[in-house]
Amino acid sequence: MPAHKTIILETTISESIPELQEKQLKHYLGEAVPTHAAHDIHAAPELSAILEAKGFSFQLKDLCPRRINETQWRAIFIKDGQEFLADNAQSSVAVRTAAVGALTNQ
């Protein structure tokens, strides 16, 4: 397994997790980051396509397929046999979180 890189990004106390993740995505992807990646649900498919172009495969799984009142999604990026996954009730959050993990650890 390759060594993990540690990237320190300056943040402010007032930044939310989505804002911090958007900052991390911009650090790794530059201008390729979809506009408002942290808040726009439509950015998730664009983000997965960007990572697929970088050699990752992508899966999005519904972990509660038969439950009407409950949602849980698992986003998985895979590259070189390593999986980077995140679970969340919102699919876009799961995709964004898994993407940050994949980019941070590549």
Side-chain angles (χ1 to χ4, degrees), residues 5-22:
K5 292 188 256 181
T6 301
I7 303 296
I8 299 171
L9 298 172
E10 289 187 33
T11 184
T12 66
I13 270 298
S14 63
E15 283 183 314
S16 67
I17 290 173
E19 290 166 335
L20 179 58
Q21 287 177 328
E22 187 162 354

Side-chain angles (χ1 to χ4, degrees), residues 36-105:
H36 306 294
H39 301 287
D40 185 357
I41 193 166
H42 303 290
E46 291 177 52
L47 186 56
S48 63
I50 291 167
L51 267 74
E52 286 177 324
K54 291 185 163 291
F56 289 90
S57 61
F58 174 70
Q59 299 172 7
L60 183 62
K61 296 180 181 182
D62 182 352
L63 300 178
C64 302
R66 294 186 180 94
R67 297 183 189 142
I68 295 172
N69 297 326
E70 187 178 347
T71 61
Q72 190 68 10
W73 296 92
R74 174 170 289 159
I76 307 167
F77 288 98
I78 304 166
K79 186 173 183 181
D80 300 329
Q82 284 192 294
E83 289 187 351
F84 307 93
L85 63 89
D87 295 347
N88 196 281
Q90 297 176 26
S91 60
S92 60
V93 174
V95 171
R96 184 180 68 238
T97 304
V100 168
L103 292 167
T104 300
N105 292 294

